[in-house]
Amino acid sequence: MLGKGVVGGGGGTKAPKPSFVSYVRPEEIHTNEKEVTEKEVTLHLLPGEQLLCEASTVLKYVQEDSCQHGVYGRLVCTDFKIAFLGDDESALDNDETQFKNKVIGENDITLHCVDQIYGVFDEKKKPLFGQLKKYPEKLIIHCKDLRVFHFCLRYTKEEEVKRIVSGIIHHTQAPKLLKRLFLFSYATAAQNNTATDPKNHTVMFDTLKDWCWELERTKGNMKYKAVCVNEDYKVCERLPAYFVVPTPLAEEDVQCFQGRGIPIWCWSCHNGSALLKMSALPKEQDDGILQIQKSFLDGIYKTIHRPPYEIVKTEDLSGNFLSLQEIQTAYSKFKQLFLIDNSTEFWDTDIKWFSLLESSSWLDIIRRCLKKAIEITECMEAQNMNVLLLEENASDLCCLISSLVQVMMDPHCRTRIGFQSLVQKEWVMGGHCFLDRCNHLRQSDKEEVPVFLLFLDCVWQLVHQHPPAFEFTETYLTVLSDSLYIPIFSTFFFNSPHQKDTNVHQRQLSLPLTQSKSSPKRGFFREETDHLIKNLLGKRISKLINSSDELQDNFREFYDSWHSKPTDYHGLLLPHIEGPEIRVWAQRYLRWIPEAQILGGGTVATMSKLLEMMEEVQSLQEKIEERHHSQEAPQAEPPCLLRNSARLSSLFPFALLQRHSSKPVLPTSGWKALGDEEDLAKREDEFVDLGDV
């Protein structure tokens, strides 16, 4: 719900209605307009980026409870992004610890990152699409990274309003052709296409040598072989040019059904068991063809299932597991909890936030994915069985589950290089349809499903529960999720290796990040600080989310046994999957909501405060020693530059602490007569404080 006092009237210079109440003083308007004429803010364009349209004297709002403040500037639309160029650059936060992206600025929105566009007409919010007959007085943009932008167009010229609104709607919502993506216009000055040593760099898996190296690394080369039967994609455009199959499998079998029905190797365990995946054979009605398919599958199964030496357990992920529709529906509900227009709306929804979270089922879907991965891990680790994942195209849930299993079982995948190689192997070369699943072409909303984001959320649960086991932090995962919508990386913009190879030159997987100061080493003082931040989000969720099914005996024994022992961060790693342990990825989902952040709180702020205290103690010890050994009067020393932990946010390094509003006290049981202040103090334990969430 929008706050009161939104500027009224139509687009451009249309006169306001008599009932309009402006909270922007006329002298402020004239002052800002004068500043616009006195200085121009430079628009920085990437190589190949072109300006399409722009509008001046646009007010970008910073939402508050009782009034609306903002910054005047230009709103521009290019073939890469929507950008707001504020006139008051001094208002920007130049804190050196704040995260900064080399490509996307604080007020930039890539066209692919736009989720929904709304217009405000006479204080009513309506979705915008297609050709408009009337233009809004205010523009609201909801982004896929969960940012929300508000732009007032009341003081913008009418023709400029029409151009900028129409341009933004067209270039973010109209269906596109693949070749029209900015990815193909972008020209980079330094392309690194040289061969790299896979031991020290991300393995791209675009050569036979890369697959052989991975087989050797996992000791899988005794039972499996890399094949080049699909070189130049002459067998199947869905599969990569090179992949790995069981050694006894004849290469002619791969060609029978265009690679379908073939067990493709994913990873080998130290005990010799392996993880495989298989796509389904084409559906046929003819009895003769069905019999041929049955005989073919029987032969394939005998190749990989040879008891007692080789035992295979099949997991049909298209059957009684998750459906893609469930994932999309859950996330559509879940993301609405974080697309907050203003502070008033935040507090209006806060009282029912947990019930809305539960009804979305997103956290339960994460739990089910982790549970399935643990079940497969138990089969491979404890029972020494091969596991064959089945899915129609083996490119969605197969990618998700196989990747999770490898993160849990292979410590190499928990390093930064190993994790990037895993994404390249299982998702890019595995044929995950990033182009369709992210809906980059805006051609079909039915194909859009956040499968890769679900994977990152599952990995975050592991990182959050076992931070010393990972070489990367949650910030790396957050930035990786943002990169899904930045069309300068070919990694996340194609449906298959074949589509990528035929449309663009190979590019190394990289993220355009400016590294901030490195955070303290993970695991240092972990026990001392854990009790302060452990329950940041999951504290109360245990009342809402419980296991919906009984764990099998073997699974439960394996699960409990592992958690009863000290954790080996360089070995097998299992997550806690009970209700309160599956939590909201706060850094990604809450980072743009000031009311949800704790100034001076969180893991990094706590660690920084401890280090401040250590530095202060060390400084005092040095002074005492100097006085003890020296008879001379101590000289005055400059003050020690300690870390300013009070400026850090609980969602470091992302912080948006611009809105300032009073936080109401909300009863957990609903809106009731709250009584006087003394009564509220007595009933303090009955109330929810978002700081405890």
Side-chain angles (χ1 to χ4, degrees):
M1 178 178 176
L2 295 172
K4 301 297 183 183
V6 178
V7 288
T13 57
K14 184 176 178 180
K17 292 186 175 182
S19 60
F20 167 71
V21 178
S22 175
Y23 292 98
V24 182
R25 296 190 300 273
E27 57 268 25
E28 293 179 343
I29 299 172
H30 295 312
T31 300
N32 281 282
E33 286 179 344
K34 183 178 180 180
E35 291 178 357
V36 172
T37 60
E38 289 181 352
K39 67 174 182 179
E40 288 288 338
V41 181
T42 303
L43 172 64
H44 298 286
L45 299 176
L46 293 176
E49 184 179 4
Q50 296 181 353
L51 176 64
L52 301 177
C53 53
E54 64 177 305
S56 57
T57 324
V58 175
L59 179 65
K60 177 180 176 288
Y61 279 130
V62 177
Q63 295 291 324
E64 294 191 1
D65 275 342
S66 58
C67 60
Q68 296 178 346
H69 297 285
V71 178
Y72 277 95
R74 286 190 296 153
L75 183 62
V76 304
C77 180
T78 73
D79 56 351
F80 170 62
K81 65 179 180 284
I82 302 166
F84 177 78
L85 309 175
D87 300 329
D88 188 8
E89 291 184 333
S90 62
L92 299 178
D93 185 8
N94 293 319
D95 184 6
E96 63 178 355
T97 62
Q98 183 179 357
F99 170 83
K100 288 181 174 61
N101 192 300
K102 284 185 176 180
V103 177
I104 303 299
E106 179 184 355
N107 293 315
D108 294 345
I109 314 166
T110 66
L111 301 182
H112 296 279
C113 192
V114 174
D115 191 13
Q116 296 288 338
I117 302 175
Y118 299 92
V120 175
F121 302 86
D122 299 327
E123 300 191 26
K124 294 181 180 179
K125 175 181 169 183
K126 299 178 181 179
L128 300 181
F129 50 85
Q131 295 290 331
L132 300 181
K133 296 181 178 179
K134 181 181 179 182
Y135 289 86
E137 60 210 31
K138 182 177 179 182
L139 196 65
I140 303 176
I141 301 177
H142 286 188
C143 303
K144 292 185 178 181
D145 62 4
L146 305 180
R147 289 180 295 169
V148 177
F149 288 86
H150 298 253
F151 300 107
C152 174
L153 306 174
R154 171 173 169 74
Y155 304 106
T156 308
K157 294 180 179 179
E158 185 173 5
E159 288 303 315
E160 292 185 2
V161 170
K162 291 181 179 180
R163 281 197 299 268
I164 193 68
V165 174
S166 299
I168 289 175
I169 292 175
H170 174 74
H171 292 287
T172 59
Q173 295 185 353
K176 301 178 180 64
L177 297 175
L178 179 62
K179 285 290 188 179
R180 300 290 294 176
L181 293 182
F182 177 73
L183 176 68
F184 297 97
S185 301
Y186 177 66
T188 181
Q191 276 295 335
N192 181 14
N193 292 322
T194 59
T196 57
D197 180 3
K199 295 182 179 179
N200 301 315
H201 297 82
T202 302
V203 184
M204 303 303 292
F205 294 99
D206 54 358
T207 66
L208 196 64
K209 181 180 178 181
D210 289 347
W211 288 99
C212 291
W213 181 86
E214 181 72 356
L215 277 172
E216 183 180 352
R217 185 188 71 82
T218 61
K219 305 296 188 294
N221 51 356
M222 299 297 293
K223 300 179 181 179
Y224 299 90
K225 63 182 179 182
V227 295
C228 55
V229 65
N230 197 39
E231 205 167 29
D232 297 327
Y233 305 101
K234 54 191 175 185
V235 173
C236 176
E237 295 181 356
R238 179 179 48 84
L239 293 174
Y242 311 98
F243 51 91
V244 175
V245 297
T247 300
L249 189 68
E251 292 191 7
E252 300 81 54
D253 292 336
V254 178
Q255 306 177 38
C256 289
F257 293 98
Q258 295 184 326
R260 292 185 175 272
I262 296 298
I264 296 178
W265 176 87
C266 297
W267 180 78
S268 287
C269 182
H270 62 86
N271 60 13
S273 62
L275 182 62
L276 308 165
K277 63 182 178 182
M278 178 189 290
S279 56
L281 289 175
K283 296 180 181 180
E284 295 287 347
Q285 301 294 329
D286 184 86
D287 291 340
I289 298 179
L290 288 174
Q291 186 61 40
I292 294 175
Q293 290 184 348
K294 183 179 182 302
S295 300
F296 176 78
L297 290 177
D298 288 343
I300 294 296
Y301 191 67
K302 290 177 181 178
T303 301
I304 59 177
H305 183 69
R306 296 175 294 174
Y309 309 105
E310 295 283 340
I311 301 176
V312 175
K313 179 184 185 329
T314 60
E315 284 284 350
D316 186 3
L317 301 180
S318 297
N320 54 5
F321 190 49
L322 287 170
S323 69
L324 297 181
Q325 183 60 46
E326 283 182 86
I327 297 173
Q328 174 62 15
T329 300
Y331 185 71
S332 296
K333 294 179 180 179
F334 177 73
K335 70 180 180 181
Q336 295 304 320
L337 295 172
F338 312 101
L339 291 169
I340 303 298
D341 280 348
N342 51 53
S343 183
T344 301
E345 181 180 340
F346 175 85
W347 293 116
D348 285 346
T349 59
D350 183 65
I351 192 172
K352 54 185 178 181
W353 196 83
F354 282 114
S355 61
L356 293 173
L357 175 63
E358 181 186 20
S359 64
S360 74
S361 300
W362 180 252
L363 296 187
D364 189 57
I365 284 177
I366 293 172
R367 184 192 66 81
R368 290 167 65 183
C369 292
L370 291 172
K371 177 179 178 292
K372 179 61 69 175
I374 297 174
E375 290 175 356
I376 294 171
T377 299
E378 187 272 333
C379 290
M380 298 177 66
E381 179 76 18
Q383 301 186 43
N384 199 19
M385 298 171 62
N386 295 335
V387 177
L388 177 63
L389 304 177
L390 304 176
E391 192 183 13
E392 183 176 357
N393 291 315
S395 59
D396 286 304
L397 297 177
C398 276
C399 301
L400 170 63
I401 299 301
S402 65
S403 299
L404 286 178
V405 170
Q406 292 174 65
V407 170
M408 293 180 189
M409 300 188 72
D410 190 347
H412 174 69
C413 296
R414 301 196 288 267
T415 66
R416 183 177 59 85
I417 296 299
F419 187 78
Q420 290 179 179
S421 299
L422 175 68
V423 171
Q424 185 71 20
K425 179 181 69 171
E426 295 297 330
W427 294 85
V428 179
M429 292 299 164
H432 181 65
C433 300
F434 284 104
L435 193 67
D436 293 340
R437 294 294 177 250
C438 298
N439 199 17
H440 288 315
L441 298 182
R442 298 282 181 172
Q443 291 182 351
S444 175
D445 293 339
K446 295 180 180 179
E447 298 293 327
E448 185 174 2
V449 186
V451 184
F452 187 71
L453 178 59
L454 175 58
F455 164 66
L456 294 181
D457 208 329
C458 290
V459 174
W460 178 86
Q461 305 293 331
L462 283 159
V463 172
H464 179 73
Q465 294 180 23
H466 306 289
F470 291 84
E471 190 182 87
F472 51 86
T473 66
E474 66 169 341
T475 302
Y476 173 84
L477 296 175
T478 301
V479 175
L480 191 59
S481 71
D482 291 343
S483 299
L484 287 169
Y485 313 111
I486 302 179
I488 63 173
F489 311 116
S490 58
T491 307
F492 303 125
F493 276 80
F494 294 99
N495 284 338
S496 67
H498 171 264
Q499 187 184 52
K500 177 180 177 181
D501 288 349
T502 55
N503 285 281
V504 71
H505 295 299
Q506 292 282 348
R507 294 185 179 184
Q508 188 76 13
L509 175 64
S510 59
L511 297 177
L513 306 180
T514 299
Q515 295 182 351
S516 60
K517 289 184 177 180
S518 58
S519 58
K521 182 174 178 62
R522 289 300 188 131
F524 183 67
F525 276 176
R526 180 68 185 176
E527 293 181 359
E528 288 83 347
T529 61
D530 192 61
H531 69 281
L532 296 174
I533 48 85
K534 182 178 180 181
N535 295 322
L536 178 62
L537 279 181
K539 186 175 180 180
R540 301 177 185 268
I541 298 180
S542 58
K543 300 178 182 178
L544 305 171
I545 303 175
N546 298 308
S547 299
S548 59
D549 53 356
E550 295 296 328
L551 301 176
Q552 297 89 345
D553 292 339
N554 290 341
F555 172 88
R556 173 55 72 182
E557 182 181 355
F558 176 74
Y559 179 83
D560 291 342
S561 174
W562 188 89
H563 283 291
S564 66
K565 302 173 184 176
T567 303
D568 177 11
Y569 294 121
H570 298 286
L572 178 65
L573 194 71
L574 299 184
H576 290 280
I577 60 172
E578 291 79 9
E581 300 295 342
I582 303 300
R583 306 187 181 190
V584 172
W585 183 0
Q587 189 191 72
R588 184 184 194 276
Y589 299 122
L590 294 170
R591 54 184 161 155
W592 312 122
I593 305 177
E595 292 82 2
Q597 300 178 24
I598 306 171
L599 184 60
T603 308
V604 175
T606 302
M607 185 64 65
S608 180
K609 187 64 178 178
L610 287 173
L611 293 176
E612 286 178 21
M613 295 172 62
M614 289 177 60
E615 288 180 359
E616 189 172 357
V617 170
Q618 184 178 0
S619 176
L620 291 173
Q621 288 178 337
E622 292 175 353
K623 290 180 180 179
I624 292 174
E625 291 178 358
E626 287 180 4
R627 291 189 178 185
H628 181 72
H629 293 95
S630 175
Q631 300 297 328
E632 300 178 0
Q635 297 180 353
E637 297 182 0
C640 180
L641 298 178
L642 300 178
R643 297 169 177 80
N644 191 356
S645 60
R647 295 188 65 192
L648 300 177
S649 163
S650 58
L651 303 182
F652 175 90
F654 302 94
L656 186 61
L657 301 171
Q658 296 177 2
R659 291 203 299 251
H660 302 283
S661 60
S662 58
K663 176 175 59 177
V665 181
L666 305 179
T668 58
S669 56
W671 293 110
K672 296 181 179 179
L674 299 180
D676 55 23
E677 293 181 0
E678 293 183 0
D679 184 49
L680 287 177
K682 294 178 182 177
R683 294 159 53 193
E684 183 179 3
D685 292 339
E686 299 180 14
F687 291 78
V688 176
D689 187 338
L690 192 65
D692 296 332
V693 176

